[in-house]
Structures are given as C-alpha cells and as structure tokens.
Amino acid sequence: MKKIALIYGATGQDGSYLADFLLKKKYHVHAIKRKSSSLNTERIDHIYEKNTKNFFLHYGDITDPISVNEIIHSVNPDEIYNLAAQSHVAVSFKIPNYTAQVNALGALNILEAIKSSKKRNKIKYYQAGTSEMYGKVQENPQSENTPFYPRSPYGVAKLFAHWITINYREAYDLFACNGILFNHESPRRGETFVTRKITIGLCKIKLGIQKKLILGNLYAKRDWGHAKDYVEAQWLMMQQKKPEDFVIATGHTHTVKSFIIECAKQLNLKIIWKGKGIKTKGYDKNGKCIIECSKKYFRPSEVDFLLGNAKKARSKLKWKPNFNFSKLVKDMITNDYEKLKS
Ligand code: NAP
Ligand code: GDD
C-alpha cells in the first residue's frame, strides 16, 4: 500500500522540495496551504499541474487546533512533516507573539492531534528544528549534544517545539523526531533571506537593472547547504526504527561577504572592497559603489557563528550532501540570472 504523507509548510522552500521527493518515492502527498489574498502556491504549481492523482491540497493553518485535528484525523497519514513556520529571524523580533503562536504552539497542536488519533502509535512526526537554537554558540562545531542558547524570538519558539517533541515522544511513546538543520538555500529560497537577496541583487547589477545592494552584517558566518539535500535527510530520519534527533549540516562555514565574493566570481563581476564593519563597501571596476551596509538590516541580537557537526547523520542515516558551497551558489546564480535575463 502507498504511504501517506502530510506536509505542513508545503508552499515553502523545503515543503515544496519534500513534496517533489516524496512523490518520486510514490507516496500519496497531502499538502497544507494557507488562505492568502494572493496566490501562494508558486513553488508547488508544477506538481499540481502534472501529478494531481497522488497530490492533495487542503486549506489549513497550524495555529488552528480545530483544523489541525480535522485534517490529521481525516487524512490518516503515516508521516507528518511539520515545516510550517514564521521562518524569518529578523521578522520574529517585530512579531514575537505571532512567531510563538506558529513556531511553538503550532507544533503542540499537531502533537496533540496525533496523541488523540486512533493511529497514534503508527504516525511518525518530524519537527523542523534549527541551528538558530544554538544562537550564542556554547561549543564548536555544534552537535546534538551542544547546549542551546537561542538569540531571537524565532529561536526561542523553535526551542519550545524541540522540547515538546521530545516530551511527547517520552511521555506518550510517539514516533516524534527533531531535525536540527543548519541554513539551507536553493533557487526556491525566500527572497528576503540573505543568500537569495544577494543572488538576485548581484544578477540584477550584472544585467544593469539594479544599482546597489544594501545589506546588514557581512561578517556573520553560516554553514550553508542545499535544501534538496536537507529534505532527503528529513525523510531518512522518518525511516529509522526509533525516533531520534539529528543535526544536518555541511561542516563548512562562510561569512556573508564570502557568499557575495563567490557569487561575483561566478558572475564574472569584479568587486573592490574598502572599509571595515558596517562601513564596508563594494565598488565595481569603474569605482561605482554597488554594495553597502545599513543598520536597518542588523538584528537586536545576532547569531555570529554557526558550524554544524553532522557525524551522527552521516553514520546512522548514511546521509551525505551532494552540493558543496560553490555548487550551491552556482545553482542559485544560474537560476536567477536566466530568469532575470528573460
Ligand atoms: P519557508 O520557505 O518560509 O516556508 C514556511 C512554510 O510555512 C510556508 O509554506 C508557509 O506558508 C508555512 N506557514 C507559515 N505559517 C503557517 C501557519 N500558521 N500555518 C500553516 N503553514 C504556515 O521556510 P523553509 O526555509 O522552507 O523552512 C521550512 C522549515 O524549516 C521552517 O519551519 C523553518 O523554520 C525550518 N528551518 C529552515 C532552515 C533553512 O535554512 N531554510 C533551517 C532550519 C530550520 P505560506 O507560503 O503561506 O507563507
Ligand atoms: N535576511 C538578511 N538580510 N540577513 C542579512 C542581511 C540582509 O540584508 N545582511 C546580512 N544578513 C545576515 C544576518 O544578520 C544573518 O547573520 C545572516 O545574514 C543570515 O541571515 P538569513 O539569511 O536571514 O538567515 P538566518 O540565519 O537568520 O535564518 C535562516 O536559517 C536558520 C537556520 O540557522 C532561516 O532560514 C531560519 O528559518 C533558519 O532556522
């Protein structure tokens, strides 16, 4: 019999890749979309157009326990992936209460619905945890055993979701696992996250349709991987006999500035750097300023450094990323350049 998967967050970057991945594995995929005043299914339209037989869209919202119960009890899934979130760290400082409703209590709503389901010991649950929980890092590199120290309402809310997942696993014997995923990007990445903002900005500068790219902290370091590799890891965690938590990361870290430099190299765009810290500026070959920093994009408290240790996933899940840093940049740059050119 075909397995049934339910994806919360299917219209997002990871959810859309996960839907592609599970359909290839012959799952029946049920995906949740939110009511929105404009179309929000761009990332899954390609599936809907050609694979309607195994793909089902439902309106829902993770903050509404009535809808969560109704969907879980009627779909009767084998696997539930909770990828739904207010996922922007900077925005979480502006809407902390809402971020907690979605990122913390949303997870609880799903776990409660599983607990009250007749199939409760058969349903597997995946919680989309994050390296943001390490925040002000207490150890390098960060592994499953590193203590957490979140630095934003986003990180704090995700930490609740992490621990409530462990609590429901221990208290009610649910198959509930946490992925602790480091940053992962792709051509489907939201346009306000730094990598996509850079790939779009530099492509537009190269094509002469944007003059300047204005960013925040260029010296924060992130362990960046590709979303396609990371959704495979999510699935692998759900295929284990016992639920466990896993760090997923590449084991390499780069500054935001290095990301810009790699993009510029691949675009054959020369940048001459001058100044330090917030005064750092990038100039083109004609001496025109094309990159500068603004306080506007700095956060009230920053996560300066992230570097993951995914040894456990590599040995237990046999997980290995296919994309390295320059392949990731290439995929994003190629996609944005082609799209913008046409
Ligand atoms: P994303 O592109 O921002 O997608 C988030 C998804 O959640 C969207 O489908 C969004 O729907 C949905 N959503 C938001 N609020 C909801 C609500 N109240 N009810 C139902 N759905 C809701 O994020 P992503 O990059 O794919 O990340 C997926 C998950 O992994 C998130 O939980 C994120 O926090 C976590 N994570 C991401 C990374 C990363 O680097 N990408 C790393 C670690 C963890 P709309 O399309 O309607 O907005
Ligand atoms: N967004 C953004 N915009 N970030 C900027 C900018 C800018 O203009 N300029 C510099 N940055 C810096 C941020 O201060 C941060 O240090 C870094 O670039 C990465 O920012 P984001 O791309 O917004 O990602 P994030 O690391 O805060 O959060 C992402 O990764 C987490 C995993 O660690 C999100 O996907 C989270 O949902 C995810 O949990």
Side-chain angles (χ1 to χ4, degrees):
M1 247 197 5
K2 286 202 174 184
K3 276 198 185 171
I4 302 172
L6 175 61
I7 307 176
Y8 273 94
T11 55
Q13 171 189 253
D14 286 16
S16 63
Y17 281 120
L18 183 65
D20 290 340
F21 179 88
L22 294 175
L23 285 166
K24 267 201 201 123
K25 294 226 168 271
K26 307 285 179 222
Y27 276 67
H28 275 177
V29 175
H30 291 257
I32 307 304
K33 71 166 175 174
R34 296 194 288 171
K35 166 74 185 83
S36 146
S37 64
S38 52
L39 293 178
N40 62 353
T41 54
E42 194 192 336
R43 294 184 179 104
I44 51 172
D45 282 344
H46 63 284
I47 303 176
Y48 207 65
E49 279 153 19
K50 64 173 188 226
N51 210 331
T52 41
K53 243 185 17 227
N54 297 335
F55 188 68
F56 311 88
L57 261 181
H58 307 259
Y59 277 111
D61 193 302
I62 200 180
T63 59
D64 182 342
I66 297 173
S67 119
V68 170
N69 267 304
E70 155 66 21
I71 289 171
I72 292 179
H73 296 160
S74 65
V75 168
N76 236 335
D78 299 293
E79 297 174 9
I80 301 177
Y81 294 85
N82 176 23
L83 312 179
Q86 189 302 92
S87 70
H88 205 284
V89 174
V91 173
S92 78
F93 288 97
K94 304 286 180 198
I95 46 169
N97 186 305
Y98 173 76
T99 301
Q101 301 287 336
V102 180
N103 298 7
L105 298 182
L108 179 59
N109 288 340
I110 299 182
L111 287 163
E112 266 299 311
I114 298 174
K115 191 183 129 208
S116 66
S117 153
K118 280 192 216 118
K119 252 178 90 177
R120 78 183 221 179
N121 293 321
K122 294 214 172 85
I123 301 177
K124 294 183 168 186
Y125 173 76
Y126 172 82
Q127 168 59 30
T130 165
S131 47
E132 273 292 303
M133 297 186 299
Y134 297 120
K136 187 171 174 183
V137 296
Q138 303 294 296
E139 175 181 60
N140 284 320
Q142 297 87 52
S143 74
E144 294 80 3
N145 302 318
T146 304
F148 296 118
Y149 193 137
R151 293 270 279 172
S152 63
Y154 170 83
V156 175
K158 282 283 185 178
L159 198 49
F160 174 90
H162 177 85
W163 279 110
I164 203 70
T165 300
I166 294 173
N167 181 247
Y168 271 53
R169 172 164 90 209
E170 293 175 352
Y172 307 115
D173 204 22
L174 302 186
F175 187 111
C177 62
N178 290 293
I180 308 174
L181 273 52
F182 283 62
N183 297 51
H184 45 281
E185 321 294 312
S186 74
R188 294 187 198 167
R189 183 56 143 157
E191 296 179 8
T192 59
F193 295 94
V194 78
T195 54
R196 192 77 198 291
K197 187 171 163 184
I198 294 168
T199 58
I200 292 175
L202 290 188
C203 287
K204 283 187 171 173
I205 289 171
K206 174 83 184 174
L207 289 163
I209 48 179
Q210 181 172 322
K211 289 206 166 93
K212 204 184 267 180
L213 177 59
I214 303 178
L215 295 159
N217 179 8
L218 300 184
Y219 298 94
K221 286 185 138 184
R222 290 291 182 275
D223 180 331
W224 278 298
H226 197 297
K228 275 190 184 168
D229 286 331
Y230 287 44
V231 299
E232 184 186 6
Q234 295 168 12
W235 177 77
L236 284 169
M237 283 178 222
M238 297 281 262
Q239 309 316 307
Q240 298 302 292
K241 286 220 167 72
K242 268 178 38 202
E244 285 184 58
D245 307 326
F246 290 90
V247 161
I248 302 298
T250 68
H252 299 277
T253 191
H254 302 267
T255 59
V256 172
K257 191 174 168 190
S258 321
F259 193 92
I260 302 175
I261 292 169
E262 183 63 29
C263 291
K265 190 173 113 193
Q266 296 198 16
L267 277 169
N268 206 8
L269 185 71
K270 192 169 171 59
I271 303 180
I272 301 135
W273 295 97
K274 288 186 185 162
K276 280 193 180 147
I278 193 168
K279 294 206 170 121
T280 306
K281 288 189 179 182
Y283 297 86
D284 71 5
K285 61 179 191 308
N286 303 316
K288 234 177 45 204
C289 179
I290 52 169
I291 293 166
E292 67 180 34
C293 302
S294 161
K295 265 206 169 131
K296 185 176 154 191
Y297 297 111
F298 279 66
R299 292 153 189 202
S301 46
E302 172 67 291
V303 171
D304 295 313
F305 180 90
L306 289 173
L307 173 64
N309 172 356
K311 229 173 165 177
K312 181 178 171 189
R314 284 176 183 266
S315 89
K316 276 203 169 171
L317 304 178
K318 310 281 175 249
W319 175 79
K320 204 172 92 209
N322 291 311
F323 284 82
N324 62 18
F325 184 64
S326 89
K327 243 175 113 178
L328 165 69
V329 171
K330 187 167 184 209
D331 194 26
M332 295 179 73
I333 282 285
T334 309
N335 192 279
D336 281 329
Y337 191 77
E338 289 308 319
K339 236 198 243 168
L340 289 162
K341 203 171 74 175
S342 63

